[in-house]
Amino acid sequence: DGKAHLHTGDMRYHPKMKEYPLLKEASESRLIDLLYLDTTYSHPKHNFVAQDAAIESIASQVEQLFTERHVSTLVLLSCYSIGKEKVLWECSRRTNRTVYVNERKHKMLQCIQGHKGVEKSSSIIDRCTQNENETNIHVVPMGLCGEMWPYFQPNYNECAKYAEKLEGTKYDRVVAFMPTGWADATNWNKKNAVSKRRVDLDQVQKREGDEKSNRHIDVEIRLMSYSEHSTFPELCSFVEYVRPRKVIPTVFSGEKEFAAIEGRFRDMIDSKRAKQMFVNSIKVNDKKRAAGTNSTTESKVSKGEDECSPEVACMGLARRKKKNGDDLDIIVVDSCDDGDDNTINERMGAKKRKANQHCDDNLLATLISMGFEALLARAALEESKGNVD
């Protein structure tokens, strides 16, 4: 239809994106109609450090661990199936060590190496090994070192068992890094961002008698504030730059949160375009209705009769009247002049029940976000039977 829509996918916004030619042209010309936005961290409380700063922090800590010669340390870097390659790259570069990944992860990293010219970390596979005894930096699944829901729960035993099963080096210490945007999500997570425990390997592996090794291993799990998703301030910067007609959240828990997220970006969209498109749609619909009007309706309009049902007229709600020579519907509010109280109340109750079927909060919020008054928006939804277009 000639409109331009932008779907961000998983996005960590960076100011350098403003220099991308196509995006720059779209922003300057106000071409973006719908913006499908990665709203993983769309609550104002999510304002963690910039990605570059997080990468620097993790890499420098890993580098520091390997300067401690008196203890044998295994470093675990928690990752999802894809993502956090920048962390792996910098840790490998700073320590001049390879990074162990399993076969499945290795195949995934092969898929991104064609982008070396865009992002240097895309060539991380050149610094990886599938020999788990070749290096003491290992990539492990995100859930191995701990759970993040409903709050951070470190898994010391799993980290200890992972280190113990490795052949060759007997590690004295395991330090696991969990890079996640949820690190600062709650006070509990912040308070327990660095958690330590000495694990009795005999107890964990249920060894008894002569099988006992009398070995302990120190496990430390560090939550690091890092994500491939944008913080709330970063999302705001991006929306303000693109200035779409409408923002559509792609990550939300339900209808209520969807409406709340839309509301947070209401002042950043191009509301002038939103209103103009809405008005244009009314004009088009008016012309369609006029073309299909039967002779009976034409007769009523010519006599100046109300187009609304008696129930609407008696409710004192918004009614629509046509003005001669004007394509727009004018919304007016009338009061009831006749009928006894009981009849009016019955009609009002029936009408409200029927109207509620079409005027749910999300649809109402959509029109309000375009700048329309709540009463007028509700009246429009009632007449269109919930058809926002």
Side-chain angles (χ1 to χ4, degrees):
D1 59 2
K3 299 173 185 174
H5 306 311
L6 175 60
H7 196 303
T8 66
D10 286 359
M11 179 193 74
R12 184 70 192 262
Y13 172 72
H14 192 285
K16 65 184 178 183
M17 291 181 181
K18 294 181 179 180
E19 302 306 315
Y20 184 61
L22 286 178
L23 191 60
K24 189 174 183 178
E25 179 186 356
S27 172
E28 293 174 350
S29 304
R30 294 288 183 263
L31 298 178
I32 304 299
D33 186 57
L34 301 181
L35 173 61
Y36 293 83
L37 189 64
D38 173 10
T39 48
T40 301
Y41 296 117
S42 58
H43 193 283
K45 71 178 181 180
H46 296 301
N47 186 19
F48 35 87
V49 299
Q51 195 176 70
D52 291 343
I55 293 170
E56 167 63 26
S57 177
I58 296 171
S60 62
Q61 289 182 47
V62 171
E63 186 179 25
Q64 177 63 33
L65 288 171
F66 293 139
T67 63
E68 302 172 13
R69 303 295 183 184
H70 64 284
V71 61
S72 177
T73 302
L74 173 66
V75 169
L76 302 181
L77 299 176
S78 299
C79 293
Y80 294 114
S81 351
I82 192 169
K84 302 181 173 55
E85 290 80 19
K86 295 175 185 177
V87 173
L88 308 185
W89 170 270
E90 191 61 19
C91 288
S92 175
R93 188 190 70 82
R94 294 278 285 269
T95 62
N96 198 29
R97 285 172 161 82
T98 55
V99 177
Y100 166 75
V101 295
N102 61 26
E103 182 180 2
R104 182 169 180 267
K105 182 72 173 179
H106 193 269
K107 289 180 178 178
M108 290 185 176
L109 295 179
Q110 286 178 325
C111 298
I112 66 171
Q113 59 182 332
H115 301 282
K116 296 179 182 179
V118 178
E119 170 57 54
K120 59 185 178 181
S121 65
S122 296
S123 61
I124 181 60
I125 194 169
D126 297 335
R127 291 177 171 270
C128 291
T129 177
Q130 294 186 67
N131 181 354
E132 59 186 16
N133 297 309
E134 181 183 312
T135 180
N136 49 359
I137 301 179
H138 286 215
V139 172
V140 295
M142 198 67 183
L144 185 140
C145 301
E147 299 292 335
M148 295 303 302
W149 178 259
Y151 53 86
F152 174 47
Q153 303 163 75
N155 198 335
Y156 305 104
N157 291 351
E158 287 301 314
C159 292
K161 286 193 288 186
Y162 181 91
E164 187 66 5
K165 76 177 178 63
L166 299 175
E167 298 178 358
T169 306
K170 291 296 182 182
Y171 292 103
D172 305 310
R173 177 176 65 174
V174 177
V175 179
F177 291 84
M178 293 184 65
T180 172
W182 302 107
D184 294 337
T186 65
N187 290 330
W188 171 271
N189 291 357
K190 294 176 184 177
K191 182 180 178 181
N192 296 277
V194 178
S195 302
K196 304 177 181 180
R197 178 175 295 177
R198 172 162 287 190
V199 177
D200 185 335
L201 292 171
D202 291 330
Q203 183 178 356
V204 169
Q205 298 185 338
K206 299 179 180 179
R207 293 188 293 222
E208 299 178 353
D210 295 337
E211 294 181 350
K212 284 189 175 183
S213 63
N214 295 318
R215 265 180 49 75
H216 295 77
I217 189 167
D218 292 319
V219 177
E220 182 176 328
I221 302 175
R222 303 180 185 182
L223 280 185
M224 305 301 297
S225 187
Y226 172 94
S227 181
E228 303 291 354
H229 304 278
S230 302
T231 64
F232 180 70
E234 289 169 346
L235 291 176
C236 292
S237 296
F238 183 69
V239 174
E240 287 175 340
Y241 175 67
V242 176
R243 292 277 288 179
R245 177 180 67 84
K246 183 177 177 62
V247 171
I248 299 180
T250 59
V251 182
F252 52 93
S253 60
E255 293 182 359
K256 186 176 181 181
E257 187 181 22
F258 184 96
I261 294 172
E262 276 190 314
R264 291 172 196 148
F265 299 104
R266 185 176 301 156
D267 296 334
M268 305 169 205
I269 63 173
D270 191 343
S271 58
K272 183 177 180 180
R273 270 197 300 151
K275 292 178 181 178
Q276 185 60 51
M277 181 164 287
F278 184 76
V279 170
N280 289 343
S281 71
I282 292 178
K283 290 181 178 180
V284 171
N285 289 335
D286 280 347
K287 290 178 181 178
K288 289 180 179 179
R289 284 199 301 271
T293 301
N294 58 36
S295 59
T296 302
T297 304
E298 289 176 354
S299 175
K300 288 185 177 181
V301 172
S302 65
K303 294 178 182 179
E305 292 184 21
D306 199 351
E307 292 182 64
C308 301
S309 64
E311 287 83 2
V312 175
C314 284
M315 281 180 63
L317 294 179
R319 293 191 294 137
R320 301 163 72 90
K321 287 184 178 179
K322 298 291 293 185
K323 295 293 183 181
N324 293 333
D326 190 53
D327 284 333
L328 293 178
D329 280 348
I330 307 300
I331 310 287
V332 298
V333 176
D334 286 348
S335 59
C336 181
D337 295 325
D338 57 355
D340 58 68
D341 290 342
N342 291 333
T343 302
I344 293 173
N345 289 335
E346 288 175 4
R347 288 174 174 175
M348 287 180 67
K351 185 63 180 178
K352 285 181 179 179
R353 286 192 297 272
K354 185 176 180 181
N356 286 337
Q357 297 175 2
H358 309 302
C359 298
D360 68 47
D361 292 341
N362 291 331
L363 295 176
L364 195 59
T366 298
L367 294 185
I368 293 174
S369 71
M370 295 178 178
F372 293 95
E373 296 295 331
L375 179 61
L376 305 187
R378 184 178 294 278
L381 286 172
E382 288 174 8
E383 175 134 348
S384 66
K385 297 183 179 179
N387 188 333
V388 174
D389 290 338

